Amino acid sequence: MEEFFKKDSPGITDDLIQELIEKRILVVNDEVDEYLLENLVLQIIKFNDQDKDLPVDKRKPIKIFLQSPGGSCIDGLNVVDAIEHSVTPVYTVCFSKCCSMAFHIFITGHKRYAFKNSVLLNHDGEIAIQNTNSKAKDTMLFIDELNKRMKQHILDHTKITDEFYDSIYEKEYYMFADTRAKELGCVDYIIGEDVTLDSLLR
């Protein structure tokens, strides 16, 4: 899968990226990592600064076009925090897939859009620890706290209940956007059914 997620992909030009940024459209077509600080978080802060004297209903929304297999929870939670604290509305748009940490970023959007065949994935992630016995225990204590926060984030941003979350926690829980994901409150609008494709660029 990694070959489809290259930061220097020739498929998208700097001119196109700049054109989209001018429309307040930010693109993530890669893993969730530390590069999202400059690619998303700082841009969200910049747009909020530009809007600081405007009431919320007069602000042009920020849109995040998102397609990602997931990645770092720590880096991803920084994006989640930025979206949650953005006074300017942030809309998320899922293209082919939003998996793992990208799923968490997607559901944080003030409005969430996806194509009918977009795929969302929630799971408990993976971890490998190589350290001393005591430090490994410390790491696991941190992971336990992290998992509690990730669970609460899902409960706060979807219709998923505590009981249902626990029943799927250890599964690779895939959802198509137009069926289970919409029923569970992970997706608000299906592109081509609830909204038009061209409306994403407005």
Side-chain angles (χ1 to χ4, degrees):
M1 183 181 290
E2 291 181 0
E3 64 268 23
F4 296 107
F5 292 91
K6 300 297 184 184
K7 291 183 175 61
D8 299 321
S9 168
I12 189 165
T13 65
D14 290 340
D15 288 343
L16 178 56
I17 288 291
Q18 188 56 44
E19 179 184 333
L20 292 173
I21 290 175
E22 288 171 3
K23 294 182 176 182
R24 295 196 170 189
I25 296 171
L26 308 175
V27 178
V28 178
N29 185 30
D30 209 328
E31 295 182 3
V32 175
D33 59 20
E34 67 272 14
Y35 290 98
L36 293 191
L37 173 62
E38 58 259 44
N39 293 339
L40 285 186
V41 176
L42 295 182
Q43 291 286 354
I44 291 170
I45 294 171
K46 172 186 172 183
F47 290 137
N48 273 269
D49 185 57
Q50 291 174 353
D51 293 347
K52 63 181 181 294
D53 297 322
L54 294 174
V56 176
D57 62 348
K58 299 297 183 184
R59 299 185 180 206
K60 181 178 176 62
I62 302 162
K63 293 176 182 173
I64 300 175
F65 285 8
L66 184 58
Q67 176 169 275
S68 172
S72 165
C73 289
I74 303 302
D75 297 309
L77 284 174
N78 182 223
V79 178
V80 165
D81 287 339
I83 295 173
E84 288 186 333
H85 294 290
S86 176
V87 178
T88 299
V90 179
Y91 301 165
T92 50
V93 184
C94 177
F95 281 74
S96 67
K97 57 184 170 290
C98 289
C99 302
S100 194
M101 190 61 225
F103 168 74
H104 283 268
I105 293 173
F106 173 73
I107 64 172
T108 313
H110 302 137
K111 293 183 180 179
R112 294 85 52 92
Y113 300 80
F115 292 91
K116 70 176 184 178
N117 291 316
S118 299
V119 174
L120 307 182
L121 167 65
N122 179 60
H123 64 182
D124 59 348
E126 59 185 59
I127 183 173
I129 300 174
Q130 273 190 311
N131 214 320
T132 63
N133 182 54
S134 59
K135 290 178 181 176
K137 289 178 180 177
D138 290 338
T139 300
M140 287 310 303
L141 287 173
F142 170 74
I143 295 300
D144 287 342
E145 175 62 25
L146 177 62
N147 287 337
K148 290 177 184 176
R149 292 181 182 227
M150 303 300 276
K151 174 182 178 177
Q152 190 60 51
H153 179 254
I154 289 175
L155 300 184
D156 290 343
H157 290 274
T158 71
K159 297 177 183 177
I160 293 174
T161 64
D162 191 291
E163 181 180 22
F164 183 69
Y165 179 89
D166 289 343
S167 74
I168 65 171
Y169 173 68
E170 294 182 349
K171 297 180 180 179
E172 292 284 286
Y173 195 75
Y174 288 95
M175 299 169 273
F176 277 113
D178 65 338
T179 52
R180 199 66 176 136
K182 195 171 184 185
E183 292 168 6
L184 290 171
C186 304
V187 174
D188 297 315
Y189 305 100
I190 300 300
I191 301 161
E193 297 178 8
D194 303 314
V195 296
T196 61
L197 179 61
D198 64 331
S199 68
L200 299 179
L201 295 177
R202 294 175 194 160

